[in-house]
Amino acid sequence: RSQLAKVGERAFEKMTKINAELFVITYGSLVMQLIEDNNGSVEEVNAQLDSIGYKIGVRLIDEYLSKSSTTCKSFRDTSEAIAKVGFKMFLGITGQVNNWTEDGEGYSIILEENPLATFAELPAKYQGLWFSNVLCGVIRGALEMVSWRVDVKFLKDQLRGDDCNEIRITLIERLKDEFKQDDD
């Protein structure tokens, strides 16, 4: 096992646990309510799930940093930390990083299981829905707080009949830390 996998296990042990079934059912209810509120527009629901996830990610990064004690010096480091530590801490699963682009600015995280979709079925009329799109927003929000602006999207989803869940992360830019000096 990799060092990061061990860090992920230790961080997972520190986390307060909630009833997984209740969480999954509540998430499914949220998705269904968004579908209803948006008159079945899966494009709008996908955008809203990403936005909700972004707001969660902006806040989760503090907990991640305080409980994982990992440091990421490169974009490649962040990929393994997300897959091995972040997913383990917050969802109890780990992902595999692969499909790196030649320039090192894009990769995929493969999830063999997705706890958010445990009890979900995707009716044919909602085939354009990325049911767990909240995860993309979480990754995007968390990475932006540590100065990585990224594009995150699902490429595969087992609810759509794919063999795995694949999330694609592509670097847009490395943000510069800007500190404004107070004149007081």
Side-chain angles (χ1 to χ4, degrees), residues 23 72 77 91 133 149 160 176:
F23 175 71
C72 300
D77 289 346
L91 291 175
N133 212 43
R149 181 162 296 137
R160 293 177 164 202
K176 293 182 170 58

Side-chain angles (χ1 to χ4, degrees), residues 47-62:
Q48 287 183 355
L49 287 170
D50 180 78
S51 178
I52 291 167
Y54 178 85
K55 292 171 186 169
I56 293 169
V58 164
R59 288 166 181 76
L60 275 185
I61 191 66
D62 289 333

Side-chain angles (χ1 to χ4, degrees), residues 15-171:
M15 297 300 293
T16 302
K17 308 299 185 287
I18 63 167
N19 182 300
E21 288 181 5
L22 176 63
F23 175 71
V24 168
I25 290 168
T26 302
Y27 180 76
S29 296
L30 169 72
V31 173
M32 288 309 302
Q33 187 63 51
L34 288 172
I35 290 171
E36 186 178 309
D37 291 350
N38 290 284
N39 300 316
S41 170
V42 294
E43 294 81 14
E44 185 59 31
V45 173
N46 287 336
Q48 287 183 355
L49 287 170
D50 180 78
S51 178
I52 291 167
Y54 178 85
K55 292 171 186 169
I56 293 169
V58 164
R59 288 166 181 76
L60 275 185
I61 191 66
D62 289 333
E63 181 138 3
Y64 171 86
L65 292 170
S66 70
K67 291 190 176 167
S68 73
S69 64
T70 58
T71 56
C72 300
K73 297 182 187 326
S74 70
F75 191 56
R76 190 170 290 271
D77 289 346
T78 65
S79 69
E80 292 294 333
I82 292 166
K84 303 288 189 274
V85 182
F87 274 106
K88 184 66 177 183
M89 279 179 71
F90 298 110
L91 291 175
I93 60 171
T94 57
Q96 297 299 318
V97 176
N98 63 20
N99 300 328
W100 276 96
T101 58
E102 282 188 35
D103 62 6
E105 294 188 353
Y107 61 91
S108 291
I109 295 178
I110 307 296
L111 303 172
E112 296 299 325
E113 58 182 313
N114 177 359
L116 294 180
T118 301
F119 302 115
E121 292 181 16
L122 195 59
K125 66 181 177 179
Y126 300 129
Q127 283 300 307
L129 177 69
W130 294 106
F131 183 82
S132 301
N133 212 43
V134 71
L135 297 176
C136 295
V138 169
I139 293 168
R140 191 170 59 83
L143 286 178
E144 194 165 308
M145 292 300 102
V146 290
S147 301
W148 299 103
R149 181 162 296 137
V150 294
D151 177 58
V152 186
K153 62 185 174 189
F154 266 93
L155 296 183
K156 293 183 179 181
D157 186 340
Q158 289 172 323
L159 286 178
R160 293 177 164 202
D162 294 320
D163 59 337
C164 65
N165 302 291
E166 181 176 355
I167 300 173
R168 187 77 186 160
I169 295 97
T170 305
L171 178 63

